[in-house]
């Protein structure tokens, strides 16, 4: 019995490791949208057998990172622009609700942290060449603090399904300096709304903030799609 339990535990750890590795490769862009998933190659990369990889792919398929075709071959999901707009619409609604809740619940300590991260964002933007990784890091912390202030586990879980780093990363990489400054300005306005405890104002600012992010991402998505088509035709 003890042997069986150890075997199950090892398999569970192997599946979790494979899941995290494959998911990270998708999020980083190492596995490109539309590319075929090969279990044997992934098993070798992850240092596990094919069974944990297969388990991980089923989990990633349920989360819409992976899609299967009619012949049951697996591919990295390549979302259409309609899919992406739907995800951003949901994100805008959820983050606006989070901002509204946070406005009446945010603590002075949390406001201080929000100001700190927004100041770091400004520093990243004002460098001779904007520091996108620094921008992303402090932007992530800024939004995470708002979500923590909203104090809703259900909201946190729902947002995790529609907010992923590749979307944020591609959006930020295609922001010009003006868009980066507008993003920082949105954060400034959110801070004022939080300071005034005005939930409606905070929700309106957050909605506009996410909608602008969608349009930046949509432009990047269209550009990347054209590049992939050109490469395939070459």
């Amino acid at each position: 019995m003890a042997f069986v339990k150890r075997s199950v535990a090892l398999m569970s750890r192997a599946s979790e490791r494979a899941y995290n590795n494959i998911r990270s490769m998708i999020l980083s862009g190492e596995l490109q949208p539309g590319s075929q998933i090969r279990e044997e190659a992934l098993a070798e990369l992850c240092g596990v057998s094919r069974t944990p990889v297969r388990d991980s792919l089923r989990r990633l398929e349920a989360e819409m990172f992976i899609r299967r075709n009619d012949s049951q071959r697996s591919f990295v999901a390549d979302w259409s622009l309609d899919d992406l707009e739907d995800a951003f619409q949901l994100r805008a609604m959820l983050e606006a609700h989070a901002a509204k809740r946070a406005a009446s619940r945010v603590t002075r300590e949390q406001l201080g942290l929000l100001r700190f991260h927004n100041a770091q964002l400004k520093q990243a933007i004002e460098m001779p060449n904007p520091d996108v990784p620094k921008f992303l890091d402090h932007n992530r912390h800024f939004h995470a603090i708002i979500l923590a202030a909203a104090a809703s586990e259900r909201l946190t879980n729902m947002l995790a399904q529609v907010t992923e780093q590749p979307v944020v990363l591609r959006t930020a990489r295609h922001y010009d300096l003006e868009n980066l400054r507008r993003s920082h300005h949105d954060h400034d306005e959110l801070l004022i709304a939080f300071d005034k405890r005005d939930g409606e104002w905070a929700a309106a600012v957050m909605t506009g903030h996410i909608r602008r992010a969608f349009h930046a991402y949509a432009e990047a998505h269209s550009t990347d799609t054209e590049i992939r088509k050109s490469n395939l035709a070459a």
Side-chain angles (χ1 to χ4, degrees):
M1 181 63 73
F3 173 77
V4 172
K5 286 183 178 179
R6 281 198 299 272
S7 297
V8 171
L10 287 171
M11 183 60 72
S12 177
R13 285 198 293 271
S15 294
E16 192 65 23
R17 184 166 74 251
Y19 167 80
N20 287 329
N21 286 346
I22 298 167
R23 187 173 182 274
S24 293
M25 284 188 277
I26 294 172
L27 294 181
S28 68
E30 186 177 346
L31 290 174
Q32 289 288 316
S35 61
Q36 186 173 349
I37 298 292
R38 303 186 186 279
E39 291 181 6
E40 189 173 344
L42 286 176
E44 187 175 344
L45 281 170
C46 297
V48 298
S49 68
R50 291 179 68 173
T51 299
V53 168
R54 203 169 291 122
D55 291 342
S56 300
L57 293 180
R58 281 195 290 267
R59 185 173 167 187
L60 289 163
E61 184 181 5
E63 295 173 355
M64 298 179 69
F65 284 96
I66 301 290
R67 289 181 177 170
R68 291 182 192 271
N69 64 10
D70 293 338
S71 60
Q72 294 304 300
R73 291 181 180 176
S74 297
F75 295 84
V76 178
D78 188 4
W79 287 12
S80 69
L81 198 54
D82 281 345
D83 291 330
L84 291 165
E85 183 166 19
D86 188 39
F88 269 97
Q89 287 277 27
L90 290 169
R91 182 184 168 195
M93 288 188 290
L94 292 169
E95 290 221 41
H97 184 54
K100 183 176 181 178
R101 282 179 60 91
S104 62
R105 294 169 172 81
V106 67
T107 65
R108 288 296 161 190
E109 181 181 2
Q110 287 170 327
L111 278 171
L113 288 170
L114 287 169
R115 291 190 180 100
F116 167 77
H117 288 296
N118 206 34
Q120 294 299 308
L121 277 169
K122 187 176 182 181
Q123 284 186 13
I125 293 166
E126 291 182 342
M127 294 181 70
N129 292 313
D131 188 339
V132 173
K134 182 176 180 178
F135 173 94
L136 285 170
D137 186 44
H138 289 285
N139 184 70
R140 178 174 56 82
H141 283 297
F142 188 93
H143 284 267
I145 293 165
I146 293 173
L147 194 53
S152 170
E153 184 177 353
R154 181 178 292 106
L155 188 55
T156 298
N157 291 336
M158 292 173 72
L159 260 171
Q161 299 297 314
V162 295
T163 309
E164 287 297 348
Q165 194 64 13
V167 174
V168 178
L169 180 59
R170 191 185 294 180
T171 301
R173 281 180 174 167
H174 288 77
Y175 264 7
D176 57 19
L177 185 57
E178 183 182 357
N179 272 318
L180 289 170
R181 285 174 174 162
R182 283 179 178 173
S183 182
H184 173 260
H185 175 73
D186 287 346
H187 287 185
D188 274 341
E189 194 169 352
L190 277 168
L191 283 167
I192 298 170
F194 289 153
D195 212 33
K196 300 295 184 183
R197 304 287 172 176
D198 191 326
E200 296 295 337
W201 185 7
V205 174
M206 184 64 83
T207 299
H209 185 62
I210 303 302
R211 289 304 299 169
R212 178 157 52 248
F214 163 69
H215 288 293
Y217 188 85
E219 290 178 10
H221 181 271
S222 297
T223 300
D224 288 352
T225 299
E226 289 302 317
I227 291 172
R228 286 203 300 274
K229 286 179 179 177
S230 297
N231 289 339
L232 288 172

